[in-house]
Amino acid sequence: MEPVSKKPKTDEEEIVEDYEVEEYVPDNTLVELASGLTRLQTTADEGMKHEDGPNNMFNGKELSTKYFDILKVRRDLPVHVQRQQFLDTFHSTQIMVFVGETGSGKTTQIPQFVLFDDLPQLQGKMVACTQPRRVAAMSVAKRVADEMDVRLGEEVGYSIRFEDKTSPKTLLKYMTDGMLLREAMHDHNLSRYSCIILDEAHERTLATDILMGLIKQVAVRRPDLKIIVMSATLDAQKFQSYFNDAPLLAVPGRTHPVEIYYTPEFQRDYLESALRTVLQIHATEPEGDILLFLTGEEEIEDACRKLKLESDELTRESGCGPLKAYPLYGSLPPNQQQKIFDDAPPGGRKVIVSTNIAETSLTIDGIVYVVDTGFSKQKVYNPRIRVESLLVAPISKASAQQRAGRAGRTRPGKCFRLYTEDAFKKELNEQSYPEILRSNLASTVLELKKLGIDDLVHFDFMDPPAPETMMRALEELNYLTCLDDDGNLTELGRLASEFPLDPMLAVMLISSPDYYCSNEILSLTALLSVPNVFVRPNNDRKAADEAKNSFAHPDGDHLTLLNVYHAYRSDEAQADPNEWCYQNYLSLRSLQSADNVRAQLKRLMEKNGLELMSTPYEDRNYYTNIRKALTAGYFMQVAKKSSQGGKNSYTTVKDNQDVLIHPSSVLGQDSEWVIYNEFVLTTKNYIRTVTGIRPEWLLEIAPVYYDLDTFRKGDIKMSLERVYKKLEAKK
DNA sequence: GAGCACTGC
C-alpha cells in the first residue's frame, strides 16, 4: 500500500483542483445524435423527437422494444402534459421550485426532461437528484435506467453511503442528500454538476436544509448552475421566497379521493379509541385493508395483542371474517417487516399497526382505510441541558395529510382522524418542525465550517436554529479543539470532519493512536454508531440478560461491547453468524452494519494517515489504554458518584445534574468516576453505556475543560482539587 | 430495574 501523507490538503487547494475547468471533448457519436438541439433552449417537441429514437441520444445504442413500451406509460404521466411549461420555466431562471403531488411522476421524469435540455454528455457534467433515503435513491435510479434503456451504473447511477454505483459515463446521478453534502465538503462549488435537483425538499432533513443554504451561495458563484427544488406539499411559497422569489411550477398528482372523518369530540384515550375504530371498520365497512398509526414499539405490540383477542371474539359472535394484525416499526427484523405484504386472510382483512415508518419510508398497496391517532414520537433537543429526547407529540397538518393519502393509493379510501375537526384546524401546526430546530448541531456546525462557511451567525438558514443551540455546538467543538478560540477550523477539526461521526466520536477515533489502541477504538466507534446490538425479547428477558452478562467486563459497557464484537468476529461465531447471534441474544443486523461502518472508518483512517494499532492483549495496559482513549473523546460526558442517594446515583460534572446509571448497564464495581455515551431522559434521568475512568486522566487529557476556576463549588470541585494536588506532588 | 419515532454520512 502506498504511504499516505499525514497532512491533508487545505480547502483552498482542493477547490482550485476541483474547479479547474478542463476542455471537455465529447464523444463524436453523441454530438451527432444531439445535433439540432441548442443547449438550454430546447422544446418539449424536440426532446420527444429525440426520445423517439431510433438511437439512444445518451449512449448511441439502438433503443429496445421494452424502452418504447415504457415510453408509452411515461407519456401518460401527469407531468408529461406540462413538459413545455417546465422547460419554459427552467429556461427563464437559475432556480425554480417544482411542486408535484404523489403520482405525478416528478422524481423519475423531471431529471430526464433536464437531461434532454441540459445535454450534460456534451459538457462532461452531471445532473444530480437528491433523495432523503437510500432505498429511494437506489430504486428510482433503477427505474430511470430502465426508462432510458441504459445499464444501471452507467449513464444513470446512484450514490449512497456504502455503495457508489456510478461510472465516468454517468450523466444522471440519484443520491442521498447526505452524500451530496459530503461531496460538497470537498468541492465547495459542486463543480461536477450542471444541474442539481433537490427532491422531497419538504421533508426538511438536516442535510436538505444545509444543502439549500449552501446552494443558494453556490448559485451566486456559479451562474451556470441550474437548481430545481422539488416538493410534494403546497408549502411551496416558503421555498419560493427563500430562493429569491424563484418561479414555481405545480403539477397535479394522480391519487384517488380519500374521505376524511373526524371524531365529534376530544378522545381522552387515543389507543382505546383507535382499537374501537379499527374493529368498527372491520365489522361495518366493505373490504380493504386498514393502516393504523401509533407511536412506538411497545404500544404497537400491545395494540396487536388486543386486536387479536377482540377480533376473535367479534368473529365468534357476529360472524364477520378474520382480522389479522401486523405490527410495523423500524427495529422489527426484516423478515417480520416483510409479513405486512402478505395477503389478507381469506374472507377477512388485515390491519397494519405502524409507526411513522409507513408515513414516508414504506408504501403498502391495498390500504383503503387509515386510522390516524394524531400523534407520533418526535425528537426534541434541549440546548440548556444538552439532551435530545423522544416525546409523544401531536403531528402537523402536513403529516395528517400524508397519512390520509396512504388510503388512496389503489382506490378511493377513507381516513378516520381520532380528533375533532376543530382541533385539526386550530391546534395542529401547518408543518412539522424541521430537524435542524430539533437537534444538537455540533456535527452540523463542523460540516458548515468544512464547507467553507465561516460566518455561521449570518448563514442564511431557511429556519435559523436557536442561538443557544448554535452557541452550545460552537462551545463543544472548541473544547474538543476542533475549532480554535476564534471559531476557525483546526487541523483536528478538519480531520474530524472527514469522518461521518459525531464530533466526540470522531475525536476519540482520531486520538486513539496516541493510546496505542486504534484498532479497538475503531471497532467501538462502529458499535456506538449502529442500533443497539443487544436483543431483549419481552418473554425472554432473563435469558437475554444472562447472555449479555457472559460478555460483561467489570469496567463497563464500552468494554463489554468490545467483547461482543471480538466474540462475533471469532471463527466459531462466523461459522454460522445467524445461529450464533440468536443463541447469544444479539442483533445480527446491527453487528453486520457495525462491520460496514468499521470498514468505511478504517478506509478513512488509512486515507488520512492515522495509524492502526493495538496494545498487546497480554499487556496490563490493554484495557486502560482503551479507557483513556474513550476519555479523550468523552471528557465532557463524565459523572461522579453522589455522596447521597443510592448506589447508582451520580452527578454529572460541570452541569451538576443528578442521574442514575441505566439499569441495562453491566458496570460491576463501584466506579467513583464514569464517562457515559448518552444521557437519556425517560421516566428518570439516566446515563447509558457507561465506563469507569480515573479522574487524573481528565486533568491530563482535557486541561482546558477541567480548569477548576470554571467549576462550581462543591463535592466534584473538591475531589478534582485533591487529584490535582496529588498529580503536582508526583511531578 | 428499563424501552429504540424515523432518516442520513
Side-chain angles (χ1 to χ4, degrees):
Chain A
M1 193 179 296
E2 269 187 18
V4 269
S5 142
K6 190 146 192 165
K7 179 183 164 290
K9 283 179 275 188
T10 69
D11 287 357
E12 285 74 14
E13 282 165 346
E14 286 177 44
I15 301 166
V16 170
E17 180 183 85
D18 291 338
Y19 200 45
E20 238 166 45
V21 184
E22 277 175 49
E23 191 74 30
Y24 180 76
V25 186
D27 184 283
N28 253 335
T29 321
L30 299 188
V31 174
E32 259 168 55
L33 280 168
S35 67
L37 294 178
T38 310
R39 198 173 164 252
L40 301 176
Q41 289 182 30
T42 72
T43 63
D45 284 342
E46 285 175 329
M48 281 164 67
K49 204 177 127 236
H50 282 79
E51 250 170 23
D52 286 336
N55 287 73
N56 190 326
M57 193 170 85
F58 300 101
N59 65 10
K61 290 182 188 152
E62 201 178 317
L63 290 162
S64 68
T65 343
K66 188 178 149 208
Y67 167 88
F68 290 105
D69 289 346
I70 305 177
L71 187 61
K72 266 189 225 130
V73 182
R74 287 169 53 202
R75 295 215 169 140
D76 214 27
L77 285 166
V79 272
H80 184 256
V81 183
Q82 271 149 295
R83 185 165 183 166
Q84 185 57 51
Q85 224 180 331
F86 166 78
L87 287 171
D88 291 341
T89 316
F90 186 61
H91 294 157
S92 73
T93 179
Q94 183 178 13
I95 309 178
M96 71 178 280
V97 177
F98 186 93
V99 173
E101 313 255 309
T102 28
S104 64
K106 68 175 185 336
T107 306
T108 53
Q109 304 309 300
I110 294 294
Q112 296 186 66
F113 294 175
V114 171
L115 286 183
F116 277 89
D117 183 62
D118 181 70
L119 309 174
Q121 73 275 29
L122 309 183
Q123 308 293 307
K125 299 266 178 188
M126 280 188 281
V127 172
C129 180
T130 68
Q131 298 293 321
R133 282 168 293 278
R134 294 207 283 251
V135 273
M138 277 165 61
S139 58
V140 177
K142 190 172 178 330
R143 169 70 194 177
V144 173
D146 281 349
E147 290 190 1
M148 292 187 55
D149 215 9
V150 301
R151 270 173 56 186
L152 181 64
E154 296 193 350
E155 285 77 11
V156 177
Y158 63 87
S159 175
I160 59 176
R161 181 169 184 181
F162 296 114
E163 197 183 1
D164 180 10
K165 196 131 179 91
T166 63
S167 72
K169 289 184 185 169
T170 301
L171 301 170
L172 172 57
K173 175 154 113 181
Y174 285 92
M175 64 205 300
T176 46
D177 47 15
M179 205 67 207
L180 185 60
L181 195 60
R182 279 275 139 195
E183 283 190 12
M185 287 165 58
H186 293 279
D187 173 9
H188 299 186
N189 283 317
L190 297 163
S191 55
R192 308 165 73 190
Y193 304 98
S194 52
C195 176
I196 287 173
I197 305 169
L198 296 181
D199 199 3
E200 315 290 358
H202 62 278
E203 288 195 26
R204 303 292 306 277
T205 67
L206 249 171
T208 301
D209 269 25
I210 302 169
L211 278 172
M212 286 198 292
L214 178 77
I215 278 176
K216 209 174 157 176
Q217 292 188 353
V218 176
V220 178
R221 296 199 293 267
R222 277 195 55 195
D224 61 305
L225 179 70
K226 289 275 196 175
I227 294 143
I228 304 172
V229 180
M230 301 210 287
S231 157
T233 53
L234 289 167
D235 172 46
Q237 269 189 355
K238 187 164 180 173
F239 291 100
Q240 273 189 284
S241 57
Y242 177 70
F243 287 108
N244 317 314
D245 297 316
L248 169 83
L249 185 64
V251 170
R254 186 176 288 165
T255 49
H256 302 275
V258 175
E259 261 183 274
I260 310 275
Y261 299 88
Y262 294 92
T263 54
E265 56 209 50
F266 171 73
Q267 303 293 303
R268 214 166 33 83
D269 183 348
Y270 71 79
L271 189 58
E272 191 269 336
S273 167
L275 299 178
R276 197 160 24 84
T277 308
V278 168
L279 292 166
Q280 200 181 336
I281 293 170
H282 182 51
T284 60
E285 293 283 343
E287 69 167 353
D289 298 329
I290 308 168
L291 175 59
L292 164 62
F293 284 102
L294 293 178
T295 64
E297 173 176 343
E298 195 175 302
E299 197 178 74
I300 287 169
E301 292 291 355
D302 186 42
C304 285
R305 263 192 306 275
K306 285 182 179 149
L307 277 172
K308 185 177 179 341
L309 288 175
E310 303 228 7
S311 68
D312 285 352
E313 198 179 309
L314 200 67
T315 309
R316 272 196 308 276
E317 284 173 8
S318 60
C320 61
L323 177 72
K324 184 119 174 60
Y326 295 97
L328 177 63
Y329 45 86
S331 56
L332 204 65
N335 62 330
Q336 284 188 54
Q337 261 187 31
Q338 208 51 39
K339 282 195 182 143
I340 60 165
F341 297 108
D342 288 358
D343 286 334
R349 71 174 106 214
K350 63 179 174 182
V351 51
I352 291 156
V353 188
S354 173
T355 60
N356 258 358
I357 194 169
E359 201 176 296
T360 47
S361 309
L362 253 164
T363 304
I364 313 142
D365 281 328
I367 298 292
V368 180
Y369 307 98
V370 163
V371 180
D372 173 16
T373 53
F375 290 97
S376 71
K377 278 193 189 172
Q378 291 160 35
K379 184 175 74 179
V380 285
Y381 177 63
N382 181 338
R384 201 177 47 77
I385 52 172
R386 283 177 293 171
V387 175
E388 285 182 343
S389 46
L390 278 175
L391 292 179
V392 173
I395 60 170
S396 65
K397 284 185 187 139
S399 266
Q401 204 184 338
Q402 176 74 20
R403 287 180 173 190
R406 293 306 198 183
R409 292 192 58 88
T410 34
R411 60 186 163 104
K414 291 180 179 179
C415 174
F416 299 88
R417 291 183 173 157
L418 304 181
Y419 37 92
T420 63
E421 186 164 11
D422 212 47
F424 174 80
K425 283 185 179 151
K426 293 183 188 151
E427 286 163 35
L428 299 193
N429 290 330
E430 289 297 322
Q431 299 289 333
S432 313
Y433 276 102
E435 204 183 350
I436 198 162
L437 301 184
R438 298 182 285 119
S439 311
N440 175 343
L441 295 181
S443 236
T444 303
V445 166
L446 191 65
E447 282 163 14
L448 287 166
K449 289 282 177 185
K450 173 67 185 162
L451 286 166
I453 291 145
D454 298 318
D455 187 2
L456 294 183
V457 179
H458 296 106
F459 184 70
D460 189 3
F461 290 106
M462 191 159 182
D463 284 287
E468 193 176 357
T469 308
M470 290 297 268
M471 289 311 296
R472 281 295 190 185
L474 288 163
E475 184 188 68
E476 182 181 323
L477 290 166
N478 181 240
Y479 280 129
L480 285 170
T481 61
C482 287
L483 296 180
D484 65 22
D485 291 348
D486 299 323
N488 297 315
L489 210 55
T490 60
E491 201 52 43
L492 178 63
R494 197 164 280 127
L495 210 46
S497 73
E498 292 290 316
F499 291 88
L501 295 169
D502 267 356
M504 286 193 284
L505 275 177
V507 167
M508 167 173 101
L509 184 58
I510 295 164
S511 312
S512 61
D514 299 344
Y515 303 93
Y516 313 101
C517 56
S518 40
N519 284 316
E520 287 72 23
I521 293 294
L522 184 57
S523 306
L524 198 46
T525 306
L527 289 161
L528 293 172
S529 320
V530 299
N532 193 0
V533 298
F534 297 105
V535 180
R536 197 166 184 255
N538 257 335
N539 46 10
D540 226 359
R541 293 183 191 168
K542 204 166 162 249
D545 290 347
E546 279 167 17
K548 182 173 180 176
N549 279 330
S550 70
F551 297 106
H553 187 288
D555 279 333
D557 303 307
H558 293 91
L559 302 179
T560 302
L561 273 173
L562 201 58
N563 283 344
V564 168
Y565 187 71
H566 288 154
Y568 164 70
R569 295 299 321 163
S570 71
D571 291 344
E572 185 209 335
Q574 289 301 309
D576 188 350
N578 214 333
E579 177 62 18
W580 186 83
C581 284
Y582 181 78
Q583 292 297 335
N584 286 285
Y585 292 87
L586 295 168
S587 158
L588 179 60
R589 190 164 36 153
S590 284
L591 286 165
Q592 282 172 337
S593 109
D595 269 338
N596 277 333
V597 174
R598 191 183 192 279
Q600 186 193 24
L601 298 176
K602 183 165 176 264
R603 276 196 303 278
L604 285 166
M605 288 189 78
E606 286 164 349
K607 190 179 151 210
N608 288 287
L610 294 163
E611 219 179 318
L612 290 158
M613 53 178 146
S614 300
T615 304
Y617 188 68
E618 309 76 48
D619 192 311
R620 67 193 175 88
N621 284 323
Y622 178 83
Y623 285 114
T624 309
N625 285 346
I626 295 172
R627 286 156 64 211
K628 279 187 179 173
L630 282 171
T631 312
Y634 279 83
F635 58 83
M636 285 178 282
Q637 298 195 348
V638 176
K640 183 187 177 299
K641 190 178 272 289
S642 313
S643 38
Q644 61 246 32
K647 154 170 170 296
N648 281 333
S649 293
Y650 283 73
T651 308
T652 60
V653 165
K654 264 211 174 162
D655 40 22
N656 296 294
Q657 294 261 339
D658 289 326
V659 292
L660 293 169
I661 295 203
H662 197 272
S664 65
S665 179
V666 299
L667 192 72
Q669 66 192 42
D670 294 349
S671 300
E672 198 67 12
W673 300 82
V674 296
I675 56 155
Y676 57 91
N677 184 60
E678 57 180 344
F679 188 119
V680 281
L681 190 76
T682 50
T683 48
K684 291 171 185 145
N685 286 342
Y686 288 109
I687 51 176
R688 192 159 54 188
T689 314
V690 177
T691 289
I693 54 149
R694 306 283 319 151
E696 48 271 30
W697 300 344
L698 297 169
L699 308 181
E700 285 163 1
I701 291 170
V704 176
Y705 189 79
Y706 285 91
D707 173 2
L708 293 188
D709 292 344
T710 65
F711 277 66
R712 211 161 78 180
K713 258 193 205 145
D715 178 40
I716 288 177
K717 182 167 176 167
M718 271 170 11
S719 308
L720 287 170
E721 272 165 350
R722 276 198 297 275
V723 179
Y724 251 121
K725 283 191 188 126
K726 232 192 270 170
L727 279 178
E728 285 299 314
K730 262 195 204 163
K731 274 185 188 167

